Amino acid sequence: MKNIKLEVSYDGTAFHGFQVQPNQRTIQGELEDALQRLTNQPVKIIGSGRTDAGVHAKKQVCNFKINHSMPLSKWPVALNALLPEDIVVNSASEVPLEFHSRFDVRQKTYRYSIYHHTYVNIFRRHYTWHYPYPLDVEKMKAVSKVFIGEHDFTAFSSAKTTVENKVRKIYAADLWKKENEIYFQITGNGFLYNMVRIVVGTLVEVGRNKMDPEEVMELFEKKNRSLAGLTAPAKGLTLWDVQY
Amino acid sequence: MKNIKLEVSYDGTAFHGFQVQPNQRTIQGELEDALQRLTNQPVKIIGSGRTDAGVHAKKQVCNFKINHSMPLSKWPVALNALLPEDIVVNSASEVPLEFHSRFDVRQKTYRYSIYHHTYVNIFRRHYTWHYPYPLDVEKMKAVSKVFIGEHDFTAFSSAKTTVENKVRKIYAADLWKKENEIYFQITGNGFLYNMVRIVVGTLVEVGRNKMDPEEVMELFEKKNRSLAGLTAPAKGLTLWDVQY
């Protein structure tokens, strides 16, 4: 029995998220289907975490256990030949049998992209939130640093969140503008449901001068979702990296 | 009667090219349809030139004549509200009645993108030619300069080309690699059918050491299409700029 770890990228546009759901096109579903066709065995994959419908991944990690003699280097090519064009396997490696893609995550990085211009950028429309109104990017940049450290992110998570402990540690948070795109990149030990998208929605409230930096900081104490910004659209979000 | 010039961008992936064709989704067709719905008049647009199925435009130019009182600044917003999400109007301006988008072109710029890596880049798959084999980029860069100047491009045009004069003047040609993408950008007074794609196909033959620089130069004399490289895929090509 081998434990194989895959690094995959996907364009989330045409998926109902990562996790298998009946009668829906999901990343996990497509990967398990390709693995089953390749190996003639039912295969269950474990992802580093779910991503929502429309959310992309530059690097998502998953693993599966299998008895199969195919050399490691052949797995990506063989799987890519069977996968649809919006998922690609970038690498395969063998890991200890006890490795678990979700439990063993040390840190994750997400990047959010806002296209800040009057008109849509046709080539980035599936990968950015088109925001045509004025934004104070310098103010957003300053407030982005507020998230660094250990905080209670209750106010920045969906009401649907079921986990009890809503404290997460953020190691890095950066916001910068290049040409017409504003990027927000955040690295932490874990993220709650919709957390990055609500943080971005809140940063946009700051950028349009609807919220002060102090009000953002108070949200860690107030723990009230309704005081934070709206949930930014899924399509601007990309799972950028997962570290073990 | 006004003559209105539009600058438009489009993602060519889901179009059968620019020019109207019966029962096919085309850029001209969508623009004329949106104009007709907006103005309640049949409108015929003139483009700077056709683009093939799958070819994109960062800046395509077209014009149309109309009797309509809407202020100029309203045209882009009103049209974008009616257009599908893969076409966007970036500007509208009033031009002299004699202005003609095709006849008055002074120069055009095209950019071709090759994604040069083992695996596909999911986010660039519709906008690049995925080429996973070794390429001598320095050699391609040197040979890209061969196209500058006035040359007979018969060998670099589709057999379907109907124009008689196949001499075109190239003002600039650059090739460079950034991260995993190779870009080829070319500016000239005009381009024959499939010309940029055949030039790129030929540069790739050079990059894989199947053609010498001398053989490329000789093609201007030999005028034999079958001696040039294959036609590179449409999806890597973008009409970048049109100047008047």
Side-chain angles (χ1 to χ4, degrees):
Chain A
M1 177 78 87
K2 286 178 192 165
N3 193 3
I4 296 179
K5 177 184 164 202
L6 301 178
E7 292 182 2
V8 305
S9 298
Y10 46 83
D11 179 333
T13 309
F15 289 105
H16 283 80
F18 184 83
Q19 197 180 37
V20 164
Q21 293 175 57
N23 306 315
Q24 300 285 16
R25 190 171 181 263
T26 64
I27 295 111
Q28 186 185 355
E30 294 288 346
L31 283 167
E32 290 182 348
D33 185 53
L35 280 163
Q36 173 145 12
R37 281 190 287 152
L38 183 63
T39 64
N40 289 313
Q41 305 172 34
V43 180
K44 183 158 167 49
I45 66 159
I46 298 160
S48 78
R50 306 171 192 180
T51 52
D52 277 345
V55 173
H56 317 287
K58 180 168 178 281
K59 178 176 156 188
Q60 167 69 289
V61 174
C62 56
N63 71 294
F64 59 94
K65 291 180 184 170
I66 201 159
N67 271 313
H68 203 280
S69 61
M70 187 162 63
L72 209 52
S73 65
K74 301 283 185 198
W75 284 93
V77 176
L79 284 170
N80 287 332
L82 293 168
L83 283 166
E85 61 147 27
D86 44 4
I87 307 184
V88 67
V89 175
N90 294 307
S91 80
S93 52
E94 198 176 337
V95 285
L97 274 178
E98 59 275 19
F99 174 85
H100 188 286
S101 290
R102 184 150 54 91
F103 299 153
D104 296 348
V105 170
R106 207 163 41 78
Q107 60 177 50
K108 278 188 181 180
T109 299
Y110 282 94
R111 181 180 284 191
Y112 197 96
S113 304
I114 297 170
Y115 189 71
H116 190 217
H117 187 68
T118 314
Y119 304 115
V120 168
N121 180 335
I122 283 287
F123 307 109
R124 295 284 294 156
R125 71 192 188 284
H126 295 311
Y127 314 113
T128 56
W129 175 17
H130 175 225
Y131 194 86
Y133 311 110
L135 286 173
D136 184 336
V137 176
E138 287 310 308
K139 205 167 160 187
M140 292 168 76
K141 198 179 286 191
V143 175
S144 72
K145 299 300 176 191
V146 160
F147 297 98
I148 298 172
E150 201 166 68
H151 302 288
D152 185 314
F153 281 94
T154 304
F156 300 95
S157 70
S158 162
K160 292 182 206 154
T161 312
T162 50
V163 291
E164 292 220 348
N165 178 5
K166 290 173 181 165
V167 173
R168 294 293 180 275
K169 198 167 185 172
I170 301 302
Y171 304 114
D174 294 289
L175 188 143
W176 69 100
K177 188 167 181 175
K178 195 181 162 193
E179 289 162 16
N180 293 322
E181 277 190 47
I182 298 168
Y183 302 99
F184 174 65
Q185 190 164 305
I186 187 164
T187 300
N189 65 352
F191 292 88
L192 302 168
Y193 188 54
N194 278 356
M195 178 171 147
V196 182
R197 290 164 60 189
I198 298 169
V199 166
V200 169
T202 305
L203 285 169
V204 165
E205 289 299 288
V206 170
R208 49 197 290 258
N209 292 312
K210 299 284 179 185
M211 267 181 97
D212 289 329
E214 294 70 31
E215 290 177 82
V216 177
M217 278 186 274
E218 284 165 16
L219 287 172
F220 297 130
E221 301 292 323
K222 289 190 173 161
K223 302 177 192 177
N224 184 344
R225 166 70 189 93
S226 67
L227 299 175
L230 295 175
T231 305
K235 64 181 183 171
L237 185 61
T238 302
L239 174 57
W240 203 254
D241 196 11
V242 186
Q243 292 289 331
Y244 292 90
Chain B
M1 178 77 87
K2 286 177 193 165
N3 193 3
I4 296 179
K5 176 185 164 204
L6 301 178
E7 291 181 3
V8 305
S9 298
Y10 46 83
D11 179 332
T13 310
F15 289 105
H16 283 81
F18 184 84
Q19 197 181 36
V20 164
Q21 293 175 56
N23 306 317
Q24 300 284 17
R25 189 169 183 261
T26 65
I27 294 112
Q28 186 185 355
E30 294 287 346
L31 282 167
E32 291 182 347
D33 185 53
L35 281 163
Q36 173 144 12
R37 281 189 287 153
L38 183 64
T39 64
N40 291 313
Q41 305 172 37
V43 181
K44 184 161 166 46
I45 66 160
I46 298 160
S48 79
R50 306 171 193 180
T51 51
D52 276 344
V55 173
H56 317 286
K58 180 168 178 279
K59 178 175 157 189
Q60 167 69 290
V61 174
C62 58
N63 72 292
F64 59 93
K65 292 180 184 171
I66 201 159
N67 271 312
H68 204 282
S69 60
M70 187 162 61
L72 208 53
S73 64
K74 301 282 186 200
W75 283 94
V77 176
L79 283 170
N80 287 332
L82 294 168
L83 284 166
E85 61 146 28
D86 45 3
I87 307 183
V88 67
V89 175
N90 294 306
S91 81
S93 53
E94 198 175 338
V95 285
L97 275 180
E98 59 275 18
F99 174 85
H100 188 287
S101 291
R102 183 151 54 92
F103 298 154
D104 295 349
V105 170
R106 207 161 42 76
Q107 60 178 50
K108 279 188 182 182
T109 299
Y110 282 93
R111 181 180 284 192
Y112 197 95
S113 304
I114 296 170
Y115 189 71
H116 190 217
H117 187 69
T118 314
Y119 304 114
V120 168
N121 179 336
I122 282 287
F123 307 109
R124 297 283 294 153
R125 72 190 188 284
H126 295 311
Y127 314 114
T128 56
W129 175 18
H130 175 226
Y131 194 85
Y133 311 109
L135 286 172
D136 183 336
V137 176
E138 286 309 308
K139 205 168 161 188
M140 291 167 75
K141 198 181 284 190
V143 174
S144 72
K145 299 300 176 190
V146 160
F147 298 97
I148 298 172
E150 201 165 69
H151 302 288
D152 185 314
F153 281 94
T154 304
F156 300 94
S157 69
S158 163
K160 293 183 204 152
T161 311
T162 51
V163 293
E164 293 220 350
N165 179 5
K166 290 174 181 167
V167 174
R168 295 293 181 273
K169 198 167 186 173
I170 301 303
Y171 303 115
D174 294 289
L175 189 143
W176 69 100
K177 188 166 183 176
K178 195 183 162 192
E179 289 161 19
N180 294 322
E181 278 190 47
I182 298 167
Y183 302 100
F184 173 65
Q185 190 164 307
I186 186 164
T187 300
N189 65 353
F191 292 88
L192 301 169
Y193 188 54
N194 280 357
M195 178 171 147
V196 182
R197 291 164 59 188
I198 298 169
V199 165
V200 169
T202 305
L203 286 170
V204 165
E205 290 300 287
V206 170
R208 51 198 288 260
N209 292 311
K210 299 284 180 186
M211 267 181 97
D212 288 329
E214 295 68 32
E215 290 176 82
V216 177
M217 277 186 272
E218 283 166 16
L219 287 172
F220 298 131
E221 301 293 321
K222 289 190 173 161
K223 302 177 192 177
N224 185 343
R225 166 69 188 95
S226 66
L227 299 175
L230 295 175
T231 306
K235 64 182 184 171
L237 185 61
T238 303
L239 174 56
W240 202 255
D241 196 13
V242 186
Q243 291 290 331
Y244 292 90

